Amino acid sequence: MTSFDTVAIVDWSGGNDTGPRPRRDAIWLGLTRLGQDQPPAYLRNRTAAETALANLIDTERSAGRRLLIGFDFPFAYPSGFAQALTGRADPLAVWDWLEAQITDTPRANNRFEVAGAINRALGQGRGPFWGNARPRHDIAGLPRTKSGYANPFPDRRAVERAAPGSFTCWQLAGAGAVGSQVLMGLPVLTRLRRRFAGHIAIWPFESLDAPVAFVEIWPSLIAGAVRRAEAEGGIRDAHQVRLLARALSRLPAPALRAMLQVDAPEEGWIMGLGHEDKLEQAAAAETGAATPLAPPPLRDDCFALPAGVDWTPVDDALALLRTRLHPVVAQTELPLSGALGRILSRDVTALRANPPQPNTAVDGYGFAHASLTTGDQVLPLVQGRAAAGLPFDGTVPPGHAIRVLTGAALPEGVDTVILQEDVTATDTHIAFRPGLKPGANTRRAGEDVTAGTPILSAGRRLTPADLALASATGHATLPVHERLRVAIISTGDELVEPGDPAGLGQIFDANRPMLLGLMQQFGFEVLDLGRVPDNRAALRAALDRGASGADVILTSGGASSGDEDHVSALLNEAGAMTEWRIAVKPGRPLALGLWSGTPVFGLPGNPVAALVCTLIFARPAMARLAGADWQTPQGFDLPAGFEKSKKPGRREYLRARMRDGRAEVFKSEGSGRISGLSWAEGLVELPDGAAHITPGTPVRFLPFGSFL
Ligand code: AMP
Ligand code: MG
């Protein structure tokens, strides 16, 4: 298996923590997932990198995506070293050995000590390692320079002899040296390999039949693309990982296979060496829109029902839809102004704290609480003031106060604010009573949200307040799903378009305007495919148009198994339909199937049944297809304002509304009564079993709004 859904590239570092601000010569992670380039991530130290990599592997694994991770340091040493060090000519034995010896924290590590010890054991203290980045700290057995250096092993691997400009893994210090990266990188990879045992294959030592592959890469293979990107500004390491992830993910399959076909069981290899032109080409390939992120298709059997079940209870039908369906829409990134109502495609965390700095919650005067004395207070005022967006530059000395306005960042020397109404003020002094608590009337930095905390989770439909939260915490854009496109078809020889003359036996199409409106309320894009007579060729043509232009097709009418029920007949003929006989009233069988891979919901023709089936079944199913969480309408219990007996066997939905705290139902249950749909403001849900409702019996009321 040599195709990958996600490609990550890591630019490693052998040094210490590089601080909070993104900079070069640090660890960088580039990522292209399902063809979508993600912004490169800056990782300040190896601990952070190990966590980020473990999270990435977890995420991709649980989404069922195959993942390739490239690291820019050698996976093995020149031949003979593994045998001498571990007694086995197996590079992965060196991984384990190093993992056991190396200690590493963001501030300090023992790489030079370990190299010195190896030199003393295998090379009489003169090699194979050389170079020491610690100016005043000599290491026994580790030469600082190449004078007096002697290497008992080959200086280079075969792949390095074939890669002009590459460095040897023995050199531990100096510009461009990779030796430290190997010593400090392999232990991290070893731990990941153990943690995800059986799920990671190390190339080219293990066969690539695991869902995750680690490969060795070298950014110099796309030096041209990196140089062009760097000319536009930005950090080189970030460009390297971004472009290499892009290149590997856009490689045509045969080129990728050719690059992975390597026989180097002891020394390893740089993936892509000798194929630089292909990589450069792929790195330059267009991004984003040209390769929309294509989710996997639905399974052919996603609408199959368990054999032998006659009438499926509503909850079982919903549980089946819930497990079988998954998002079918692509992902994109939108500015906040275009994201309202869209479904978030990834979890989002705060990039910035809210509030970012401590500030005052009121108009008043600020001072240091610790500088107050006992009893009544009189404090001199410093010149100037702090207002929102206009911070005070200086420091407020102990025992002094400063004028502050709501939202102003607290100046140096201020931790407490008194309300202006609680002071007596002159131009130069304020006076107030004792009793104020430290920190009063201020907001702590991050008291709402701290940077890095999750704020919104994937599958959520974005509200106006979500946009406020995203903006406040530093997001200008959000990752969202493309809108689900829903095609609507009405079927029936009797239907005419509103406005057209209607003859004897003809009725105006009522379902289509209703369904188009509902889909808009759900936030979907609609494709109106009009009316189709009860004729298979016409219906086939309409379904074809739906399958090519939409993600879901909703039909109404013709869904049962009568002579004129062409929706079910056609889908049956195509071998792509299941008649879902659901124990629900109102509602005839639902025809669920795939037409050229596009899901079709064949709704009953009766407008009342069509609406109920849309809300109860199609709505949550379409939410899943659109990338949203499964949606259960939230209702509440109300005393019934009516009387009714129901038999066991079918769950029932009555057109209802709430008046004076009671649930009223429409005077008739006739399923052709469209006036009752319009009258209603929600549904009363009666349980599957028998029920006898009298006025005052609690019944479940589901407002129409809870389905949106
Ligand atoms: P069918 O499911 O095709 O047997 O239709 C059931 C009932 O619903 C019949 O009385 C149809 O005339 C009616 N019906 C079907 N489609 C529509 C529609 N789009 N608007 C109004 N009534 C419809
Ligand atoms: Mg019909």
Side-chain angles (χ1 to χ4, degrees):
M1 274 274 287
T2 50
S3 77
F4 297 92
D5 306 299
T6 303
V7 174
I9 298 295
V10 183
D11 183 333
W12 201 246
S13 161
N16 289 346
D17 187 285
T18 42
R21 292 170 66 96
R23 45 162 277 194
R24 56 177 304 170
D25 296 331
I27 304 178
W28 283 88
L29 176 75
L31 188 71
T32 298
R33 179 186 280 128
L34 299 169
Q36 298 283 102
D37 300 331
Q38 311 292 323
Y42 165 76
L43 298 162
R44 58 185 288 178
N45 58 50
R46 282 179 294 278
T47 312
E50 189 167 338
T51 307
L53 287 166
N55 288 344
L56 175 66
I57 294 170
D58 256 340
T59 305
E60 302 309 299
R61 290 279 305 117
S62 53
R65 290 189 287 261
R66 284 178 49 80
L67 169 65
L68 178 102
I69 312 185
F71 296 89
D72 72 333
F73 56 82
F75 280 8
Y77 287 88
S79 63
F81 180 71
Q83 178 74 46
L85 185 75
T86 70
R88 291 162 54 203
D90 174 5
L92 295 175
V94 176
W95 287 37
D96 287 330
W97 191 95
L98 285 176
E99 201 279 330
Q101 300 300 320
I102 292 283
T103 58
D104 190 11
T105 71
R107 279 156 196 280
N109 64 69
N110 66 346
R111 66 187 194 273
F112 296 114
E113 285 78 4
V114 170
I118 294 175
N119 280 4
R120 293 196 302 276
L122 305 182
Q124 291 149 359
R126 300 171 60 199
F129 290 104
W130 69 277
N132 177 349
R134 292 193 200 133
R136 278 173 300 278
H137 185 85
D138 283 328
I139 304 279
L142 184 63
R144 280 193 180 271
T145 66
K146 279 196 128 174
S147 77
Y149 169 73
N151 187 351
F153 304 104
D155 230 17
R156 289 171 178 274
R157 298 181 293 160
V159 70
E160 282 140 8
R161 291 196 291 275
S166 63
F167 281 72
T168 84
C169 51
W170 305 123
Q171 183 185 340
L172 299 184
V178 295
S180 285
Q181 299 191 33
V182 187
L183 290 178
M184 302 314 299
L186 293 180
V188 173
L189 303 201
T190 305
R191 282 192 291 277
L192 290 170
R193 183 167 173 258
R194 270 185 216 143
R195 175 161 173 180
F196 298 98
H199 297 290
I200 299 180
I202 313 297
W203 179 85
F205 315 126
E206 299 177 314
S207 79
L208 291 183
D209 43 21
V212 182
F214 284 2
V215 303
E216 175 185 338
I217 46 91
W218 191 34
S220 298
L221 298 183
I222 53 159
V226 172
R227 213 174 314 112
R228 281 190 300 280
E230 242 189 314
E232 315 267 302
I235 296 172
R236 167 192 229 161
D237 315 46
H239 287 310
Q240 288 182 336
V241 295
R242 177 177 63 82
L243 290 169
L244 205 47
R246 182 208 283 202
L248 288 181
S249 66
R250 282 170 179 52
L251 274 179
L256 182 69
R257 262 199 305 280
M259 287 181 197
L260 290 170
Q261 237 147 56
V262 157
D263 184 32
E266 192 185 350
E267 290 192 333
W269 195 261
I270 295 168
M271 181 186 168
L273 187 73
H275 304 267
E276 287 83 345
D277 51 334
K278 292 254 170 24
L279 283 171
E280 289 273 14
Q281 228 169 36
E286 258 322 297
T287 58
T291 40
L293 188 156
L298 293 174
R299 291 170 54 110
D300 285 346
D301 61 354
C302 69
F303 292 125
L305 279 180
V309 177
D310 194 11
W311 288 92
T312 307
V314 172
D315 289 336
D316 295 6
L318 290 175
L320 280 169
L321 290 174
R322 182 176 188 164
T323 51
R324 304 275 183 77
L325 299 179
H326 62 73
V328 296
V329 282
Q331 299 176 22
T332 184
E333 189 87 17
L334 284 183
L336 297 185
S337 59
L340 181 67
R342 289 301 195 94
I343 291 159
L344 205 62
S345 60
R346 276 186 284 120
D347 293 347
V348 171
T349 53
L351 300 174
R352 191 185 203 220
N354 183 51
Q357 301 100 27
N359 64 68
T360 168
V362 299
D363 291 345
Y365 298 86
F367 44 82
H369 190 275
S371 69
L372 297 184
T373 52
T374 52
D376 287 352
Q377 303 292 314
V378 177
L379 301 184
L381 284 172
V382 300
Q383 281 280 323
R385 58 173 210 168
L390 298 169
F392 177 74
D393 270 346
T395 302
V396 177
H400 287 63
I402 182 171
R403 176 81 173 130
V404 295
L405 298 174
T406 307
L410 295 187
E412 275 298 308
V414 172
D415 60 15
T416 303
V417 172
I418 186 160
L419 212 59
Q420 65 187 19
E421 288 82 353
D422 293 343
V423 305
T424 319
T426 66
D427 283 352
T428 57
H429 286 77
I430 56 169
F432 55 93
R433 289 280 163 85
L436 206 61
K437 293 209 174 82
N441 298 313
T442 66
R443 308 173 179 132
R444 277 179 294 111
E447 72 174 20
D448 179 24
V449 179
T450 56
T453 45
I455 49 167
L456 298 166
S457 42
R460 181 179 174 84
R461 187 162 171 206
L462 292 166
T463 67
D466 292 345
L467 302 182
L469 178 60
S471 179
T473 55
H475 294 272
T477 63
L478 285 172
V480 297
H481 284 286
E482 294 289 8
R483 269 185 215 285
L484 189 77
R485 298 163 307 164
V486 184
I488 312 261
I489 304 172
S490 284
T491 73
D493 285 335
E494 73 278 29
L495 302 180
V496 288
E497 199 65 9
D500 286 356
L504 195 64
Q506 294 190 308
I507 59 170
F508 294 113
D509 183 354
N511 288 345
R512 225 166 82 245
M514 174 173 73
L515 294 173
L516 289 169
L518 272 173
M519 296 308 122
Q520 281 164 13
Q521 284 190 327
F522 294 162
F524 302 147
E525 217 168 84
V526 289
L527 175 61
D528 182 359
L529 293 182
R531 290 165 295 110
V532 175
D534 288 318
N535 149 347
R536 284 194 202 180
L539 182 59
R540 184 177 285 122
L543 289 172
D544 284 343
R545 283 170 62 204
S548 65
D551 306 304
V552 188
I553 304 171
L554 272 191
T555 68
S556 70
S560 310
S561 36
D563 295 347
E564 297 299 327
D565 290 324
H566 295 284
V567 174
S568 48
L570 249 194
L571 289 171
N572 256 328
E573 201 180 279
M577 187 205 89
T578 309
E579 188 176 81
W580 283 47
R581 288 146 61 87
I582 304 174
V584 64
K585 186 181 170 192
R588 301 258 292 286
L590 273 184
L592 297 188
L594 291 178
W595 186 263
S596 305
T598 302
V600 182
F601 285 84
L603 301 166
N606 268 312
V608 177
L611 182 76
V612 168
C613 288
T614 302
L615 295 181
I616 304 298
F617 302 106
R619 171 61 184 135
M622 288 192 296
R624 269 314 281 143
L625 296 171
D629 295 330
W630 183 259
Q631 226 162 298
T632 304
Q634 296 300 304
F636 46 91
D637 286 348
L638 282 181
F642 60 95
E643 182 157 359
K644 178 181 165 69
S645 283
K646 90 173 266 300
K647 290 194 291 243
R650 296 213 277 172
R651 187 169 301 182
E652 255 183 81
Y653 292 93
L654 308 176
R655 282 152 282 180
R657 62 185 196 183
M658 181 171 77
R659 286 293 180 274
D660 302 324
R662 292 180 162 247
E664 295 180 348
V665 297
F666 192 57
K667 57 183 191 267
S668 157
E669 289 181 17
S671 74
R673 303 276 187 113
I674 303 174
S675 66
L677 280 182
S678 167
W679 171 92
E681 291 160 8
L683 300 171
V684 155
E685 182 183 58
L686 300 180
D688 298 2
H692 182 69
I693 315 276
T694 52
T697 309
V699 292
R700 194 96 189 129
F701 179 68
L702 305 171
F704 285 142
S706 70
F707 294 96
L708 295 185

